[in-house]
Every structure is written in C-alpha cells, then in structure tokens.
Amino acid sequence: LDQPESAGVVARRLLDELTRPMTIEGHELVVTPSIGIAVAPNDAETVEELLKAADTAMYHAKSSGKNNFVQYTSDMDEAGVERLTLETDLRKAVERDELVLHYQPQVDTLTGSVVGAEALMRWQHPEHGLVPPFKFIPLAEELGLIGELGEWGLETACRQLVVLQAEGLELPKVSVNVSALQFNRTFITRVSEVLRQTGLRPRRLELELTEGIMMDGAESTINALEGLKDLGVQLSIDDFGTGYSSLSYLSRFPLDELKIDRSFVIDFDKSENDASLIVAIIAMAKSMRLQLVAEGVETHEQYQFLRHHGASVIQGYLFSK
C-alpha cells in the first residue's frame, strides 16, 4: 500500500458491490457487509496479530451500524476484551439465574386501567450491574443464544403472570418479544408446551413479532402464524413502520395488534412526516379492526397528540419505566 488509507478505497468498492441486490433462486437478497481493516507494521507484526486486529475493527464496524468499514486503532483492544468477557458471561447468564424481566404497563387512557404489560428482558450482571438489551440482545443473536434467551423469557413471563393472578393481581395479558431467529418450525410446539406447563390461558399471552418475520410472506410463515392463532394466543407487530415489508401482510396474516414505534412518537413534533405517519397508522389500524399500542410515550404533548387522533392505549415513561 502507498498509504494505510488506500485499503479504505478497496473496502468502499467492496461495500458498493456487495450491497447490490442479488437474485438467488428467485429471491432478491441484500447483504450488508462489515469490514475491519488492519495494516502492518503499524497495527501488528505477525499474521495472527494482524487478523486479530482486523477482526476487532470488524466488530466495531458491525456495532456502528453495519454496511461500513472501520480502520483498527489501539484503543479498540479494550472494547474487544469487554466484548469477549460479555460473550463468555452471557453463555452462562441463564444457568446462573442472572436474567430478569421488567414489566412496562400498557394503559387504556379512556378507562385509566392497565390492559397489559410488555415483558422486557434485563441482564443483572454480577460486576457490570444491569446490562441494557441493546448491548446483549444483538450479541445473543450473533452467538446463537437468542433461542435460549427467548425461551427463558417466554416461560418466565407466563409463569409470573399465573403467580400474579394467584395473588389477586389481574393483568389481562403479557406481551413477549419474539426474535426473527427464534421463529422457527419448533416455535409453535414450544409455545404450546409453555402454556400447558404454566397453566396460563392462551388469550392472556401476546407475542410481539418483528416486521422481519413477515418480510418474505412465505406460505410457511402464514401457516406458522395461523398455528399460533389456533393455540389462542394474540399476535402483535412490534415497531410497526420501521421495516421494509409490504403492507399487504396486514390483510394476509392473522394479526391482532400494531405497535407504533417509539421513534415516530418521539419526533412527531419535529417532523410533519412522522406526525402524518402516526395519524395514517391509527386510521389504518381502525379500518382493519386491529388493536393499537403507542410505545415510547414520554411527554404530555405526545400523549395529547395520540389521544386526539384516536390512539388510546399508551406505553412509555409517562406512565411507568
């Protein structure tokens, strides 16, 4: 190389080529690469150390949004060690009983009653304290642990709701997030087993699905969702409006609820487009007889706007963290 920065020119060309849509067996696929760059002798002097430095830089590229490249710097090593430690600890988090569920209530503002709660997973790390989900959920997906974490969350939420009911605390339903990686052939069977083992009435369990699950619109996805509906559970689309799926799935799939993503709610007063989109989602949900939850509501202004336009079920810091 004439200079270290020259590697970035090649990386940019690779990114531009790899992000072009590819058609494989009739399916259009888009790859979002992450590239880490290390240059000898400044970054390392042996092949092994050079690869390790490039690998560290690549993880930084992934964590900063993917589809980009990052040049290695020595201060990345500390972050790399922290990541490695988190990886090791996360593999043992379930067996060490370090995971906990926090419940954020969903309030019907027309009646003032709590109509449900979303189960939010937290990791109570013995040294780092409460690790937020944005730090460990992507890591769990990357390491192939999301299935184990997801099962723990599903079973724990169902069991705890039954305990609450036995103590006289009526909560109509609990919402549990489902990762796209968790949504596989055995998922329906596992949900059925958990409901049977815990004794929770199926109607009181709501599964929050990502738009990514709907994206392909495959017959197998429709069959899986109908299988879940046959069990009696409710189905919700989480973070609605942030994905790239076709709106046609709203009529094709057996859904019960849409959740307006917090990013629209937070910026509604800064962006006319966000405000218009919220109004459109509310109208669409009503016309399709879908329930609606607005999440991320933190201010009275956001609350008044949503109420005025017909979104009555609210979730967010305004009521409870």
Side-chain angles (χ1 to χ4, degrees):
L1 297 173
D2 55 348
Q3 56 182 351
E5 290 72 26
S6 299
V9 177
V10 180
R12 175 51 58 196
R13 291 211 310 266
L14 279 167
L15 291 172
D16 291 342
E17 285 301 316
L18 284 168
T19 49
R20 296 179 194 275
M22 294 176 283
T23 302
I24 299 176
E25 295 184 359
H27 298 278
E28 190 174 270
L29 305 177
V30 177
V31 176
T32 53
S34 301
I35 300 175
I37 299 172
V39 180
N42 291 347
D43 299 333
E45 294 185 353
T46 67
V47 173
E48 290 78 10
E49 289 174 350
L50 198 63
L51 282 170
K52 183 181 175 184
D55 196 43
T56 299
M58 184 267 291
Y59 278 118
H60 278 263
K62 290 177 81 165
S63 63
S64 60
K66 303 183 180 180
N67 200 32
N68 65 354
F69 67 90
V70 168
Q71 193 97 24
Y72 173 81
T73 58
S74 57
D75 60 359
M76 290 178 180
D77 284 334
E78 188 175 335
V81 170
E82 182 192 354
R83 177 196 159 83
L84 198 59
T85 305
L86 279 180
E87 278 186 23
T88 305
D89 292 347
L90 186 57
R91 293 181 188 279
K92 301 172 183 173
V94 174
E95 62 185 67
R96 289 176 176 172
D97 201 25
E98 293 173 357
L99 297 175
V100 292
L101 291 180
H102 289 188
Y103 293 92
Q104 188 172 47
Q106 298 166 340
V107 180
D108 185 339
T109 59
L110 299 178
T111 63
S113 59
V114 175
V115 294
E118 180 181 356
L120 302 167
M121 193 177 294
R122 300 291 184 265
W123 179 13
Q124 187 67 58
H125 194 282
E127 294 174 24
H128 303 298
L130 218 54
V131 182
F134 73 84
K135 267 196 170 184
F136 73 88
I137 294 295
L139 188 60
E141 290 181 337
E142 202 174 300
L143 297 173
L145 297 174
I146 195 63
E148 186 180 355
L149 265 61
E151 277 206 16
W152 178 89
L154 175 67
E155 185 179 340
T156 304
C158 292
R159 185 165 34 79
Q160 289 183 350
L161 191 56
V162 171
V163 171
L164 284 176
Q165 187 177 13
E167 292 179 357
L169 298 169
E170 279 295 331
L171 185 65
K173 67 175 182 181
V174 63
S175 299
V176 177
N177 290 282
V178 178
S179 164
L181 297 175
Q182 189 184 351
F183 194 79
N184 54 35
R185 290 179 183 176
T186 62
F187 184 65
I188 301 172
T189 306
R190 188 64 191 125
V191 172
S192 177
E193 286 175 356
V194 167
L195 290 170
R196 180 175 50 79
Q197 289 166 359
T198 60
L200 182 70
R201 291 201 306 276
R203 189 69 189 162
R204 300 183 69 200
L205 173 63
E206 180 175 77
L207 300 175
E208 291 196 12
L209 312 169
T210 64
E211 285 189 287
I213 292 173
M214 313 292 165
M215 201 168 284
D216 59 2
E219 199 67 32
S220 58
T221 303
I222 298 173
N223 292 338
L225 294 173
E226 288 177 345
L228 289 169
K229 288 301 297 177
D230 289 343
L231 291 179
V233 303
Q234 299 186 59
L235 301 177
S236 173
I237 293 295
D238 195 17
D239 301 337
F240 181 76
T242 60
Y244 299 96
S245 343
S246 165
L247 291 178
S248 65
Y249 72 68
L250 291 180
S251 59
R252 294 177 62 210
F253 294 165
L255 303 171
D256 299 289
E257 177 187 277
L258 299 183
K259 292 192 81 175
I260 300 175
D261 184 59
R262 66 188 305 276
S263 62
F264 301 133
V265 174
I266 288 171
D267 293 331
F268 89 94
D269 54 348
K270 300 173 190 169
S271 165
E272 284 187 22
N273 286 341
D274 281 353
S276 300
L277 190 57
I278 290 173
V279 174
I281 292 172
I282 293 170
M284 184 171 59
K286 285 187 174 180
S287 70
M288 300 187 76
R289 293 186 171 86
L290 292 169
Q291 300 165 41
L292 194 72
V293 175
E295 59 183 346
V297 181
E298 299 178 358
T299 68
H300 288 283
E301 290 75 20
Q302 294 165 353
Y303 165 76
Q304 294 295 349
F305 174 81
L306 290 161
R307 270 293 305 271
H308 175 71
H309 288 285
S312 59
V313 180
I314 302 295
Q315 177 182 338
Y317 278 22
L318 183 64
F319 286 106
S320 171
K321 289 188 178 184

